[in-house]
């Protein structure tokens, strides 16, 4: 089996610790141990624990608390090491060379790479920019592309909701369209909901769990919960499928880590969980206006659709510079790391993470400005040259007509 290069993750691994301003981060400022335990908590309670193997699928109390986040039971949950491992296990278990996957684009392209490696290929369906009436513009599901992508060979429909990189949230009609397509093909829905709970507006995003019997939901503590270092992820699904997935996890990391599993159980206690998500939303809602003001300050050179969830936004740029060139100039000249749209399957966009330190965000955005200004200049010179070439033609045409 050959697997394609995962450009986004490989690039971040190479450069995220070499730049001063890492605006490629897609979560919020990580929590501290003090915040996990809170007032009156006792970190010393961990001191006498023996660091044994934990339960392979996660402790019953952790699985029960994760299940409550979706309206599921402990038997519907298995715990793994991060959301990435959750997606990996699901794709490995469900796909073979006779199967294809319908993959949402733009997206975190891990699942597309896995579908190409383990399955018979990946067929794209798309989110597109569209008007949403008085509410303005939004990223919405292109139902026609979904219907083209889902065929009798489709084994899995991959959804990321809330979406990475756009921050879009599907509405009820769009979720129903995905369920109908899955039911028609007898396919599974693999719903990556790792940003659920990180809303810039409104309450907790709706889940795909409970809408269709062949649904697997993946999630974890890395994004909405601000705990990427714990590497705790999970899969929620029908009991029989969860038991089947255990056999695949046995060939990978076997169990979650002991201390991470204990800390995760604290975080997923319902009252604590709600407080953690409120912290996340507070960070997002405080920082997002800074990014919005910066985009507005660039006039028609930059445009965006305001994200509804996640500490990430995609920004369209109108300058004649290739995404890879823009990425490299920012990294090398300004020590700023962003993520080019090509890493998510689309064109002249960049993804900016805004969920970390507010001063760092402001400084990082200011460092981008000089590169954008020089990128605009060639376009202006080219426009003047085209105008100069057109003027004589208009005079000649005018003289001929008289």
């Amino acid at each position: 089996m050959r697997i394609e290069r995962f450009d986004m993750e490989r690039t971040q691994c190479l450069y995220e610790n070499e730049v001063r301003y890492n605006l490629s981060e897609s979560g919020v400022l990580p929590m501290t141990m003090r915040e996990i335990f809170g007032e009156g908590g006792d970190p010393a309670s961990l001191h006498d624990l023996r660091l044994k193997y934990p339960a392979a699928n996660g402790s019953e109390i952790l699985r029960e608390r994760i299940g409550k986040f979706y309206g599921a039971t402990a038997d519907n949950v298995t715990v793994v090491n991060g959301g990435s491992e959750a997606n990996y296990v699901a794709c490995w278990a469900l796909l073979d060379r006779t199967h294809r996957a319908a993959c949402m684009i733009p997206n975190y392209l891990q699942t597309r790479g896995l579908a190409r490696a383990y399955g018979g290929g990946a067929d794209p369906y798309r989110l597109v920019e569209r008007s949403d009436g008085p509410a303005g513009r939004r990223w919405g599901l292109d139902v026609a592309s979904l219907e083209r992508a889902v065929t009798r060979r489709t084994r899995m429909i991959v959804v990321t909701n809330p979406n990475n990189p756009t921050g879009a949230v599907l509405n009820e009609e769009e979720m129903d369209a995905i369920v109908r397509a899955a039911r028609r093909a007898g396919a599974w829905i693999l719903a990556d909901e790792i940003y659920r709970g990180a809303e810039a507006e409104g309450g907790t995003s709706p889940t795909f769990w409970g809408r269709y019997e062949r649904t697997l939901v993946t999630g974890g503590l890395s994004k909405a919960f601000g705990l990427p270092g714990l590497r705790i992820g999970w899969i929620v699904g029908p009991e029989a499928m969860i038991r089947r997935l255990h056999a695949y996890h046995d060939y990978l990391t076997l169990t979650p880590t002991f201390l991470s599993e204990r800390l995760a159980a604290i975080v997923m206690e319902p009252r604590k969980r709600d407080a953690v998500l409120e912290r996340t939303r507070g960070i997002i809602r405080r920082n997002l206006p800074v990014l919005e003001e910066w985009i507005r300050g660039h006039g028609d050179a930059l445009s965006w659709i305001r994200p509804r969830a996640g500490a990430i936004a995609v920004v369209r740029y109108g300058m004649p510079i290739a995404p890879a060139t823009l990425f490299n100039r920012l990294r090398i000249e300004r020590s700023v790391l962003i993520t080019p749209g090509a890493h998510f399957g689309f064109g002249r966009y960049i993804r900016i993470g805004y969920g970390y330190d507010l001063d760092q965000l402001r400084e990082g955005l200011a460092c981008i400005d000089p590169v954008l200004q020089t990128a605009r200049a060639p376009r202006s010179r080219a426009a003047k040259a085209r105008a100069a070439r057109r003027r004589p033609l208009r005079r000649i045409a005018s003289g001929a007509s008289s």
Side-chain angles (χ1 to χ4, degrees):
M1 181 192 75
R2 297 180 65 86
I3 196 160
E4 63 191 45
R5 187 178 189 266
F6 192 174
D7 285 331
M8 194 210 78
E9 289 293 356
R10 184 86 318 261
T11 299
Q12 285 193 292
C13 290
L14 286 172
Y15 303 122
E16 64 184 350
N17 295 312
E18 295 185 0
V19 296
R20 182 173 181 183
Y21 302 105
N22 182 9
L23 301 187
S24 71
E25 279 289 354
S26 57
V28 297
L29 189 68
M31 294 178 67
T32 65
M33 289 287 287
R34 190 183 305 278
E35 288 175 302
I36 291 176
F37 281 95
E39 292 296 328
D42 182 17
S45 63
L46 301 178
H47 290 178
D48 294 326
L49 295 176
R50 297 191 182 277
L51 301 181
K52 61 180 183 178
Y53 284 115
N57 59 340
S59 66
E60 184 169 0
I61 189 169
L62 176 57
R63 291 185 290 109
E64 179 182 306
R65 288 173 176 180
I66 291 169
K68 286 181 179 178
F69 190 44
Y70 301 93
T73 70
D75 291 335
N76 296 123
V77 179
T78 191
V79 181
V80 296
N81 286 280
S84 294
E85 187 173 76
N87 289 333
Y88 188 98
V89 169
C91 289
W92 186 21
L94 286 179
L95 295 173
D96 63 37
R97 288 298 182 184
T98 66
H99 299 139
R100 300 185 69 84
C103 295
M104 178 184 282
I105 300 292
N107 212 332
Y108 180 69
L109 294 183
Q110 179 203 18
T111 44
R112 187 182 73 173
L114 291 171
R116 290 172 172 176
Y118 284 113
D123 302 300
Y125 69 97
R126 299 191 177 274
L127 297 180
V128 294
E129 297 186 38
R130 58 164 47 117
S131 175
D132 197 23
R137 295 186 63 75
R138 64 182 289 266
W139 288 95
L141 176 66
D142 180 356
V143 176
S145 71
L146 173 68
E147 292 178 351
R148 289 192 299 271
V150 178
T151 70
R152 59 185 178 82
R153 291 188 62 195
T154 302
R155 172 70 163 167
M156 175 191 295
I157 301 175
V158 179
V159 187
T160 300
N161 188 53
N163 179 252
N164 176 12
T166 65
V169 177
L170 297 174
N171 62 30
E172 291 291 329
E173 292 78 11
E174 291 165 336
M175 296 177 80
D176 288 344
I178 290 170
V179 169
R180 284 196 302 272
R183 197 178 297 279
R184 184 180 71 245
W188 284 82
I189 292 173
L190 176 60
D192 182 343
E193 296 181 357
I194 201 163
Y195 288 94
R196 182 172 181 255
E199 290 76 21
E201 55 188 55
T204 304
S205 306
T207 176
F208 271 91
W209 178 252
R211 294 171 183 265
Y212 172 57
E213 58 275 13
R214 290 191 170 190
T215 297
L216 295 177
V217 173
T218 61
L221 297 183
S222 296
K223 306 304 180 185
F225 291 89
L227 289 165
L230 291 188
R231 305 308 303 137
I232 287 288
W234 54 74
I235 308 171
V236 182
E239 291 181 30
M241 178 55 73
I242 291 297
R243 289 194 296 271
R244 181 183 170 196
L245 296 179
H246 293 161
Y248 287 82
H249 193 215
D250 288 344
Y251 278 92
L252 293 169
T253 56
L254 303 178
T255 75
T257 66
F258 182 84
L259 286 177
S260 291
E261 204 267 358
R262 288 297 181 104
L263 294 171
I266 294 171
V267 170
M268 292 306 292
E269 187 278 322
R271 286 176 296 180
K272 182 68 173 182
R273 177 197 71 205
D274 292 345
V276 170
L277 294 181
E278 192 57 36
R279 170 190 181 270
T280 294
R281 292 172 183 139
I283 293 171
I284 289 172
R285 293 167 187 179
R286 182 185 69 237
N287 291 13
L288 184 54
V290 173
L291 178 60
E292 189 168 23
E293 182 181 2
W294 178 78
I295 293 169
R296 191 182 302 119
H298 284 274
D300 60 2
L302 300 178
S303 62
W304 77 328
I305 293 175
R306 198 175 194 269
R308 292 187 57 202
I312 46 177
V314 289
V315 181
R316 184 202 289 268
Y317 66 90
M319 292 148 282
I321 182 171
T325 303
L326 178 58
F327 166 81
N328 283 318
R329 284 193 60 189
L330 290 173
R331 178 178 63 82
I332 296 167
E333 298 175 17
R334 309 302 300 176
S335 198
V336 177
L337 191 65
I338 52 87
T339 316
H343 288 182
F344 304 98
F346 63 168
R348 289 182 180 267
Y349 294 85
I350 56 175
R351 189 192 75 176
I352 296 176
Y354 61 89
Y356 271 51
D357 180 80
L358 191 56
D359 290 336
Q360 287 276 303
L361 174 62
R362 287 194 178 101
E363 292 173 15
L365 293 174
C367 285
I368 295 175
D369 291 341
V371 175
L372 296 184
Q373 289 166 5
T374 58
R376 281 197 292 265
R379 186 178 186 185
S380 299
R381 289 195 295 271
K384 290 177 181 177
R386 286 195 299 271
R389 288 195 297 269
R390 285 196 298 267
R391 279 196 293 273
L393 292 175
R394 285 197 292 270
R395 287 197 294 272
I396 292 169
S398 177
S401 65
S402 62

